[in-house]
Amino acid sequence: MNKDDWDAWIRCALFSYNSSVHSGHGFTPHELVFGRKARIPSEFADKTIAKTFNEYLDETLNRLNTTQAQAR
């Protein structure tokens, strides 16, 4: 890596920042925006979806409201 190829690494840096816990409130930026922890690529292997979209959406909105309220 040199100073001319920083743009090749920006995605990794952003993922690292957005998935790191903030010491002030104990949440990651990703959790406060999306209501759940960021998933890494290896978590997608061999998963089946057992919920309906509405169940997933309700669960996500509840988690999002809870984490944002706790952060405040």
Side-chain angles (χ1 to χ4, degrees):
M1 186 167 108
N2 64 45
K3 66 180 180 179
D4 295 326
D5 67 353
W6 64 269
D7 57 330
W9 296 95
I10 195 74
R11 288 181 187 203
C12 293
L14 286 172
F15 182 80
S16 178
Y17 178 82
N18 286 326
S19 59
S20 297
V21 175
H22 188 280
S23 62
H25 48 64
F27 295 102
T28 67
H30 190 277
E31 280 180 280
L32 295 176
V33 173
F34 297 106
R36 63 178 176 80
K37 292 191 181 295
R39 293 171 51 186
I40 58 174
S42 63
E43 293 179 19
F44 295 105
D46 299 326
K47 291 260 181 164
T48 58
I49 299 173
K51 299 178 196 175
T52 67
F53 179 73
N54 286 338
E55 291 170 334
Y56 170 78
L57 189 58
D58 287 340
E59 196 174 287
T60 300
L61 290 174
N62 286 334
R63 272 196 316 267
L64 185 57
N65 288 332
T66 300
T67 56
Q68 288 178 348
Q70 288 177 355
R72 272 189 230 109

